Amino acid sequence: MQWIDIGANLTHESFDADRDAVIERARRQHVVQMIVTGDSIAGSGAAIELARQYPGALFATAGVHPHHAAQLTAAGLPVLRELLRQPQVVAAGECGLDYYRELSPRESQLRALEWQLQLAAESGKPVFLHQRDAHVDFIAVLREHRPALVGGVAHCFTAAAGELEDYLGLELSIGITGWLCDERRGAHLVELVPRIPADRLLLETDSPYLLPRDLKPKPRSRRNEPMYLPHVAAAVAAARGESLEQCAAYTSANARALFALCATQS
Ligand SMILES: [Zn+2]
């Protein structure tokens, strides 16, 4: 079995002391490829740098998270365009709208999203999308840009059935995290995950965030790691009534197809 973690924030400072060991541990659990999320121009540069050290195993996204949207100016666009050209970069993002925390003003978020969808279309790479409490604005912008995009993923999907239908209607893929393993916040996802077509489902840890709540024993640090991806997968497979082998086969094939990941040896 081979697993692919399509969203790991491996440049996060919580990995500074043992990043290589974290990657090694993941690979021992057959998490053979990981996509390192870029969340700002500097963060995307760091993600690319890390991916360069693990050719064929680590890849990167390049983009500006809605939290940092106010930092993205027109002057930053040529820089972002250049980052998107790097061979390690397999998606534009993470980009989107977050009205839940609203760390950047909504106008900045909308402008940064529009810009990045244009850059994604230009690059021919899929988009890595983040949305929280902003569905109406988000889906309106996406509908407008979708024809020019090659594809994309609604990463860390935690919302309700209507939002899922909207994403699927736009032929987007859906990223499922350990949110599903939370019996309080994730109960509705147990009902929704079986409704995702097998060719649209992707797995991610969103490490170091979203440590699966039912993980036993839990690390004292409460830090999530890509090595826990098979735990998330087990919850997905159980919800869908599939074997782990089936789940590994189609989710890995989906990730390789959407992000055009080159095959790996291990
Ligand atoms: Zn996100």
Side-chain angles (χ1 to χ4, degrees), residues 33 45 59-60 78 92 138 143-144 202 212 253:
Q33 294 178 312
F59 302 86
F138 188 66
R143 281 212 174 99
E144 189 188 315
L202 298 166

Side-chain angles (χ1 to χ4, degrees), residues 194-240:
R195 294 209 224 159
I196 303 170
D199 60 351
R200 300 282 191 80
L201 205 159
L202 298 166
L203 300 174
E204 49 174 330
T205 58
D206 206 23
S207 352
Y209 314 111
L210 301 183
L211 182 71
R213 201 175 127 80
D214 60 351
L215 194 69
K216 286 190 188 82
K218 275 204 191 69
R220 290 236 319 270
S221 64
R222 303 280 151 147
R223 182 184 70 176
N224 197 7
E225 292 187 22
M227 72 162 165
Y228 299 129
L229 192 71
H231 180 91
V232 176
V236 168
R240 293 169 63 87

Side-chain angles (χ1 to χ4, degrees), residues 65 94 130 155 206:
H65 191 285
E94 122 172 55
H130 170 109
H155 120 91
D206 206 23

Side-chain angles (χ1 to χ4, degrees), residues 39 64-72 96-110 130 132-134 209:
D39 67 348
V64 177
H65 191 285
H67 292 345
H68 307 302
Q71 294 165 21
L72 183 61
L97 300 176
D98 193 314
Y99 295 172
Y100 176 72
R101 294 187 65 194
E102 211 172 333
L103 297 183
S104 279
R106 292 183 183 196
E107 316 80 74
S108 310
Q109 293 191 32
L110 283 159
H130 170 109
R132 214 168 161 198
D133 283 3
Y209 314 111

